[in-house]
């Protein structure tokens, strides 16, 4: 047996012991939940339960050696190439296990960023904590005037003896409502050029002066928050990287964020497309040449995105970043939007007015959610600029 086959067998044995096989989803019109949301949107006790379940499952994986498959062995990872992570994910997809969405930012963004930028102690405490299912992390980067133009951020960090004092406002912070720690960017030198005066910190979310306020979305849920920092004391040993080196930390964090954003969702688009085909038939439009053409066009787009992602995943670690990742995320965001638009065309007014009919009005959530996907992890325009400059060699956009 090859090393991969041995690993796959080991993963299957682990999952057989700890989870039940997942019954294949049979999409039957009118039966079961419609589930056409793009962003996860539970609140209150249900949300708390999901967080606990996610942490428990991650802890189980960690104890069995599947919690950090590509992680550095000196920190408890397996040190295996990304192909092994893929093998594990494809085996796990066949089992009914807890949804790890509440941990996603820690596992895919903050954890990897700390491995590159953090101190040994920070990696042991936070990156390991995240992978062991003990800690939930969030990313405190965006501000009201600093999204695409992140270097414009205004949150200040002022040195005060052995601590820093952070004040400012963050926004669109996913999962802040239940996070234990946030990776924050703050301005430490207001006189330095915009990109140079920034520093990164790990902010314990239960610190005095941290206030988290949920933002109600178009879709009704509240997956994001405003986070207010009012003279929050942060120990100097929670500074990530050198003072003034925050931009470097931010860039390496954002590159892992883009990796994570594109990775998730081919199951989602595939399911959406299957529902859409059924919808066309139910609406009596299955034979309409224009509808058939729209569906064929969508199918081709989804296949292009799937093959593109397979190619990225086959690349060696560290290759296939930058423009290929930007394309992956653009394709996905565009496909989510295109699926929603075809649904809206098929449904007409039913997408905006709830008639109670199964599988119709629920598409409004898809349409509204798709818009968010085009922003988070880098907007379409920013990603296109990256492709234009780095892949096509076009002149740099004026700043
Ligand atoms: C689902 C989701 C999850 C998120 N989670 C987090 C999180 O956990 N933590 C966090 O810190 N942030 C998070 N964000 C915020 C996200 O990073 C920002 O929304 C994003 O960077 C865009 O910033 P903005 O919303 O301020 O829009 P802006 O930057 O103001 O952009 C508005 C519009 O102007 C366009 N634009 C801006 N600059 C240019 C330019 N130079 N050239 C061409 N067009 C331009 C944009 O493409 C966009 O269409 C999340 C956002 C979403 C939607």
């Amino acid at each position: 047996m090859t090393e991969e086959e041995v690993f796959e067998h080991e993963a299957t044995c682990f999952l057989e012991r700890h989870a039940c096989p997942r019954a294949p989803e049979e999409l039957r019109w009118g039966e079961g939940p419609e589930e056409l949301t793009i962003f996860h949107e539970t609140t209150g006790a249900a949300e708390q339960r999901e967080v606990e379940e996610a942490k428990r499952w991650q802890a189980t994986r960690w104890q069995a050696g599947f919690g950090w498959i590509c992680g550095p062995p000196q920190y408890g990872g397996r040190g295996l190439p990304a192909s092994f992570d893929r093998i594990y994910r494809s085996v796990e997809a066949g089992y009914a296990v807890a949804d790890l969405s509440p941990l996603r930012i820690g596992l895919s963004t903050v954890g990897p960023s700390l491995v590159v930028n953090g101190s040994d102690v920070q990696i042991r405490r936070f990156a390991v904590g995240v992978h062991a299912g003990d800690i939930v992390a969030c990313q405190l980067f965006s501000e009201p005037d600093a999204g695409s133009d992140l270097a414009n951020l205004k949150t200040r960090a002022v040195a005060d003896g052995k601590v820093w004092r952070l004040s400012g406002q963050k926004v669109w912070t996913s999962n802040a409502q239940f996070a234990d720690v946030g990776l924050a960017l703050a301005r430490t030198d207001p006189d330095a050029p915009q990109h140079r005066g920034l520093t990164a910190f790990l902010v314990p979310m239960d610190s005095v002066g941290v206030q988290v306020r949920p933002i109600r979305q178009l879709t009704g849920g509240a997956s994001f928050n405003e986070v207010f920092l009012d003279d929050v004391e942060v120990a100097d040993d929670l500074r990530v990287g050198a003072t003034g080196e925050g931009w470097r930390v931010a860039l390496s964090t954002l590159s892992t964020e883009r990796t994570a954003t594109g990775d998730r969702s081919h199951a989602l688009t595939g399911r959406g497309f299957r529902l859409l085909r059924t919808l066309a038939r139910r609406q009596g439009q299955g034979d309409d040449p224009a509808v058939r053409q729209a569906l064929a066009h969508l199918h081709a787009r989804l296949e292009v995105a799937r093959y593109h992602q397979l190619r990225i995943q086959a690349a060696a670690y560290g290759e296939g970043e930058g423009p290929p990742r930007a394309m992956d995320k653009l394709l996905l965001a565009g496909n989510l939007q295109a699926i929603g638009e075809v649904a809206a065309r098929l449904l007409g007014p039913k997408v905006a007015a709830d008639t109670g009919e199964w599988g119709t009005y629920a598409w409004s959530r898809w349409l509204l959610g798709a818009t968010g996907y085009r922003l988070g992890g880098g907007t379409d325009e920013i990603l296109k600029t990256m492709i234009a400059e780095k892949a096509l060699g076009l002149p740099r956009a004026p700043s």
Side-chain angles (χ1 to χ4, degrees), residues 70-84:
C70 304
Q74 69 270 33
Y75 297 115
R78 289 277 284 264
L80 292 168
S83 55
F84 285 77

Side-chain angles (χ1 to χ4, degrees), residues 39 105 138-150 170-176 183 224 254 257-258 369 371-383 385 397-398:
F39 292 104
I105 290 173
C138 66
Q139 182 183 308
L140 295 162
F141 280 13
S142 306
E143 297 186 4
D145 287 323
S148 305
D149 187 11
L150 184 59
K170 299 292 176 178
V171 75
W172 310 125
T173 319
S174 315
N175 298 349
L183 179 63
F224 318 100
L254 292 175
E257 182 187 34
R258 271 165 208 151
T371 306
Y373 227 95
R374 296 181 58 202
L375 298 167
T379 68
D380 286 5
E381 290 75 16
I382 296 299
L383 297 180
T385 300

